[in-house]
Amino acid sequence: MFSSLFPLIAFTAWTILLVLIVVSFRTVQVLAGSKKSNEFPAWIQHGSDLYWRIHRAHLNCVEGLPVFAVLVLTFILSGYQNDTFDLLAWIVFGARILQTGAHLSGGGVWNVNVRFTGFIIQYICFTAMLVILVRSIL
């Protein structure tokens, strides 16, 4: 079995967890009568700072998940196995957790630098995974 599939599933689960938190917050607000269902405008901060950070962290996951999924699933479909590819997939997931944790912890310079580091690590890994993938199918 391909071990790169596990970090993809973990990344997906993490994305789902974050959206469930966002949905829970919104549902409580609507059911409590403090907000109407149409009072959560896109791209305009609403709710607490922590809620908004969770919302943005979820959107960041949604942006990276398709790239990660295409790389991993195409690699698996190619039938080629590569330990480095699998390791990079785990690093992507770890960097995603780092990025989300930094995002949730605040907006200071240090937090943003750590968040950006997590982002850059993911895209360096994506690039290396793409190179491995292209080499494996050529």
Side-chain angles (χ1 to χ4, degrees):
M1 176 138 186
F2 295 91
S3 69
S4 57
L5 193 56
F6 293 113
L8 174 59
I9 292 167
F11 193 124
T12 303
W14 186 250
T15 304
I16 291 169
L17 174 64
L18 291 172
V19 78
L20 289 176
I21 294 169
V22 170
V23 167
S24 296
F25 171 84
R26 290 180 180 189
T27 300
V28 167
Q29 296 290 310
V30 170
L31 292 178
S34 59
K35 293 252 188 198
K36 294 180 183 173
S37 59
N38 65 346
E39 293 182 333
F40 301 98
W43 311 115
I44 298 172
Q45 185 168 349
H46 49 273
S48 68
D49 189 51
L50 178 60
Y51 160 78
W52 189 248
R53 290 184 178 290
I54 295 168
H55 172 75
R56 292 297 307 149
H58 168 257
L59 292 177
N60 289 159
C61 286
V62 169
E63 292 169 354
L65 184 55
V67 175
F68 191 36
V70 166
L71 289 168
V72 170
L73 295 175
T74 303
F75 187 74
I76 289 171
L77 289 173
S78 77
Y80 188 73
Q81 291 189 1
N82 182 295
D83 291 338
T84 303
F85 188 94
D86 293 338
L87 175 61
L88 289 168
W90 281 109
I91 293 170
V92 166
F93 176 64
R96 166 50 54 194
I97 297 300
L98 175 70
Q99 183 181 358
T100 300
H103 204 131
L104 299 180
S105 67
V109 173
W110 178 252
N111 309 79
V112 172
N113 290 342
V114 172
R115 189 171 83 209
F116 182 71
T117 300
F119 172 82
I120 284 297
I121 290 169
Q122 289 170 81
Y123 276 85
I124 289 170
C125 289
F126 290 161
T127 302
M129 292 166 80
L130 181 61
V131 169
I132 292 169
L133 176 61
V134 169
R135 286 184 178 170
S136 73
I137 59 177
L138 289 182

